[in-house]
Structures are given as C-alpha cells and as structure tokens.
Amino acid sequence: MNQNEASQPGEFDPGLRGLGPIALEALLVPKVWGGSALQSLRKQPGTVPPIGEAWLLYDRPDRSNALCNAAGSLADLRAAGEADLMGSAARGYGGRFPVLVKYLHAQETLSLQVHPSDAEAIGDGGKEECWLVLEAGRDAKAYVGLKDGVDMDCFVAGLRTGELEELLNVLTLKAGDVVHVPPGTVHALGGDALVLEVQQNSDMTHRLSDWGRGRATHVDAALKCIDVHSRPRLNQQVTDVGGGGRRLVATPSFHMFRYQLDRPVEITADGGYCVLVGLDGGGSVTAGGHERAISREALLVPACHQSFFVQPSGGLDFVICAPGDISITDCDARH
C-alpha cells in the first residue's frame, strides 16, 4: 500500500481491509520519573534508563507506529485510506489519528502540569485524557485540580513559594480506579502508579512545577489555560454498559470501555475505529477473515470492518477505545 493508492471517502481500500486487525509496535520513552514496570515490552536486551511511557498507538508529525503485520506505518495507512481507517471519527489536529494510547509508569511524581483545550492550543491540538490505574504502590496518588476555596491568586502565590501540595486536590489510587483529566485541570501522577492512558492526539503540556528536578517550566502559558473549578473525582463517569462491560469515560474525542469476557462476542462500532489493549488473560480478534492475538500492546481494527469478533482463551480482561459507543453481542445469541 502506498500514498498513491488512497481511496475516496466512503470507499473501502482493499489493501487496508485485507490487513484485518492491525498490530502496532510500541515505542518506549525514557523519563526521569519512570521505572521498570514497562521493561517487559522491550524487544531488545540491554540496559536502558527508567521507562516512563510506552506509546501503544501514536501518529505524530515526527513519528508514528510501525506495523507488526505489514510494511509501513500508521501514518502510511492514514494517507492511503483515511476514511477506511478512521470512519466517521473526527480527525485529530492536522488530520492525524485522533487519539494517542499509552502506558505511564510514574515511579516518581510527574511534573505538575496542565493541558490546553482545542481552542487554547497553538501548533497542536488540545489534550483531554483518561487514566485507568493498572497497578498502584502504597503511595500511589494523583493531584487532580485545586482544593475547594483555592483561587488563582492563592495558587500563583504557592507557585512563587513552592508550597503547592497543600493547595492541590489529592486522590489516593488503587488498581481499577479511573481518573478523567479534562483540559485546564492542574494535575500530576506519582507514587509508583502504572496506568493505561487514552488521550487526544497532542503533545501539548505546560509544566507548572517539576518539583525541583530542573526541567523547564511554562508557567505563563499554563496560567492562561487553568480552570480553577476543574476538580474531577475518582470513577466519576464509570457506568455499566451492555454485554457486561463498563464505560470508563465518554468525551467528545473518545470513549473508553473495559470488558472481562469468558465467551466469544461480536463487537460493532458506530462508524469508527476500535483500539484494543489486553490487560489480563488471552484471546484473539478476528476481522476481515484475519485473526490476531490480543496482547498488552495495541490492536487497531479499522473502521472499514464495521464489526469484529473477540474470542477469549479462558478469561480475557481488555480495554477498547472508540470514537463513540459500541455494541456487543454474544455469538451464541446470533443463532
């Protein structure tokens, strides 16, 4: 497949459909606050610095996922068949894939930061994100928003003196918790927490404080987009959905679901793509006559498949990201 084979909107690209579920190669990103929990995703042996992030699905201007079961990259697929890859989903900034999916391992506390909205971002899109906590050390926590009664003047004074923690809303984390971080929310993650994050496809982060580690901060830009009233609660949007799953969050850019299955099912997305990440157990995804194993890395089912099958091997715990709601049907119920 190459860029000269691009399909017209509404037409299915035979090359894209013929790939079936697309396995994506993860990118490991060292961070000063990272740890060792993501080392098992490394393909090559050797000593590396602490890994803070593993990008499971990414389509950035300077790099995008390599494909595990075909030549080329995610950006190549988008260029060759945008409509068939993403369907009716709103495109990300610059026409790129709308979401970025990654793991974060915060052995130490991330910088205190804030992300702009689409309207406030310059040179990239806005950034809304959601974390599913997979592992939590005894000190795992998130700073998410400001405490009640803390206004902008009070917060700015805390930035000057470095006395910030007493101004921040603190959430104690445990495995299974969900934290939604809207744009404009002051936040940080730390205390040995491993999370799966789905976010808008943006790398726009304004640091307010790096807790004395010496990296650059962007206080002026951050203060312009802070929402002092944003104070999300744990599991605020989590609801039960059909098929025995849970919808973890619903935003204008993405929905995030979690399923624990012991039976084969058919899943249909509402005109868009699906991204699947295995958390525990085993299984496979079949679309377009092609079967791929579910793993801790990402499987992308292009929108042109419309529906696909998930077959657990024993039990399977996994997450689905899609641009909107999905429907799930037991395979036995179709007969």
Side-chain angles (χ1 to χ4, degrees), residues 5 28 69 153 157 174 315:
E5 296 171 338
L28 301 188
N69 54 288
D153 289 341
K174 65 182 184 301

Side-chain angles (χ1 to χ4, degrees), residues 133-157:
V133 181
L134 304 179
E135 298 177 11
R138 64 180 183 179
D139 298 320
K141 63 180 178 295
Y143 300 114
V144 187
L146 309 181
K147 284 184 178 177
D148 289 333
V150 176
D151 61 15
M152 187 64 79
D153 289 341
C154 182
F155 182 66
V156 170

Side-chain angles (χ1 to χ4, degrees), residues 144-184:
V144 187
L146 309 181
K147 284 184 178 177
D148 289 333
V150 176
D151 61 15
M152 187 64 79
D153 289 341
C154 182
F155 182 66
V156 170
L159 282 174
R160 292 195 186 109
T161 63
E163 298 175 351
L164 287 169
E165 292 195 48
E166 62 193 37
L167 306 178
L168 302 171
N169 186 45
V170 182
L171 303 177
T172 301
L173 303 178
K174 65 182 184 301
D177 280 338
V178 177
V179 182
H180 173 219
V181 185

